[in-house]
Amino acid sequence: MAKKVKSDNESEPEIDPAIERELEANNMLLFNIGEAYAERLGALEREFDQKRAPVYKTRDAILAKIPQFWLTVFLNHKTINSMLTREDVDVLEYLETFTAVTTSDETAKRETHTVTFGFRENPYFKNKVLTKKLTDFIPEEEVLTRVDTIESTKIEWNEGKDFTKTQSSKDVPKPGGKRNREDQGHFFSWFCGDDDIDSFAEVFTQDVYINAYELFLDPEDDEEDDDEEEDEDEDE
């Protein structure tokens, strides 16, 4: 790391008071412009979100006609794939519909991610719809957000079918046909859990749902694993 060059003069730089006032006034103008930009950008985003909503609804109806569409999308997305176990995949084969949306409340400084999974009748649980909702608090003075509240549908498991409390089988094909090497927990454990450390809900709303058709057609490459395999080959 390069060392910071310091002046021999350790005293604080002095600025003429008149120049300082000019700079402060100029800086306030830039701040006000930035605030106005953020406000207008937020309004523009809300306007176009409203225009997208009915288009997404039409798209969802079309996608529901494709067998195991959403399961394929989840398997093709490397982040979501990392949380899937064989047991998860067996259940997700019954998944018919999926939506993921983000809504903002600027007054309350909160952002809510809502993911909804619609299932056909299956041998695992009685629910037809499962919903998880995470609300983030966005502090004005902090860069990072924090999860404020988490709500999720209670899964009505059929007798002996709650596999989230047992050892998982991490034998799920990764994007590109590879297989996961590490067990990172159940997808359904995340759904039932009271945290979202890896921000999976935001991944669903900001990437998976929006780019679903592209993910269905073209699995994400796992460059890290490709590099690891090349290193292993070289070691041999």
Side-chain angles (χ1 to χ4, degrees), residues 1-234:
M1 176 182 286
K3 293 183 178 179
K4 184 176 179 180
V5 178
K6 295 183 178 180
S7 170
D8 293 335
N9 184 2
E10 295 294 335
S11 62
E12 290 293 326
E14 294 184 4
I15 302 177
D16 183 279
I19 296 176
E20 187 173 8
R21 286 193 295 272
E22 283 186 86
L23 286 173
E24 288 178 353
N26 182 268
N27 199 46
M28 181 56 68
L29 287 174
L30 291 173
F31 175 80
N32 291 337
I33 291 171
E35 289 286 288
Y37 169 77
E39 184 177 343
R40 186 169 300 183
L41 184 61
L44 190 63
E45 287 178 347
R46 290 191 293 274
E47 176 188 343
F48 279 86
D49 282 344
Q50 290 177 352
K51 291 181 179 180
R52 291 189 188 101
V55 180
Y56 278 130
K57 188 173 182 179
T58 299
R59 187 197 68 169
D60 292 341
I62 298 171
L63 298 181
K65 301 174 184 178
I66 304 175
Q68 298 189 356
F69 175 86
W70 288 109
L71 172 58
T72 302
V73 170
F74 294 171
L75 287 171
N76 285 352
H77 191 283
K78 61 184 179 182
T79 300
I80 301 305
N81 185 293
S82 72
M83 68 193 295
L84 295 177
T85 64
R86 171 48 58 189
E87 292 86 350
D88 292 321
V89 172
D90 290 342
V91 178
L92 291 171
E93 288 180 352
Y94 294 89
L95 180 64
E96 289 187 316
T97 62
F98 170 72
T99 59
V101 296
T102 298
T103 54
S104 299
D105 184 343
E106 294 186 2
T107 303
K109 297 297 180 183
R110 279 167 169 74
E111 188 173 68
T112 300
H113 305 288
T114 305
V115 290
T116 304
F117 306 84
F119 291 86
R120 66 178 185 275
E121 187 174 346
N122 65 80
Y124 297 95
F125 45 72
K126 298 178 176 63
N127 311 72
K128 295 297 170 105
V129 177
L130 299 177
T131 299
K132 189 176 183 78
K133 181 183 295 185
L134 297 93
T135 300
D136 295 335
F137 174 66
I138 309 173
E140 290 185 4
E141 302 299 328
E142 297 179 22
V143 176
L144 297 177
T145 61
R146 75 166 190 262
V147 176
D148 198 22
T149 60
I150 297 179
E151 304 171 30
S152 57
T153 305
K154 182 179 179 180
I155 300 180
E156 299 176 28
W157 294 99
N158 291 328
E159 187 175 354
K161 295 296 184 178
D162 183 359
F163 53 80
T164 62
K165 300 175 182 178
T166 62
Q167 183 66 34
S168 64
S169 302
K170 196 65 178 180
D171 186 27
V172 178
K174 298 182 84 173
K178 303 179 182 63
R179 294 194 176 266
N180 283 298
R181 299 175 181 176
E182 299 179 1
D183 183 357
Q184 298 185 21
H186 286 286
F187 165 83
F188 282 96
S189 294
W190 164 80
F191 181 87
C192 299
D194 57 1
D195 62 50
D196 189 38
I197 297 173
D198 296 308
S199 302
F200 287 124
E202 189 171 351
V203 173
F204 276 125
T205 58
Q206 303 301 314
D207 188 10
V208 177
Y209 182 68
I210 293 172
N211 301 310
Y213 186 52
E214 290 78 9
L215 286 164
F216 179 77
L217 296 176
D218 187 18
E220 287 188 337
D221 292 327
D222 200 326
E223 295 177 359
E224 278 189 15
D225 280 359
D226 289 341
D227 292 340
E228 287 179 8
E229 289 179 3
E230 287 178 6
D231 290 342
E232 288 177 1
D233 291 339
E234 289 176 3

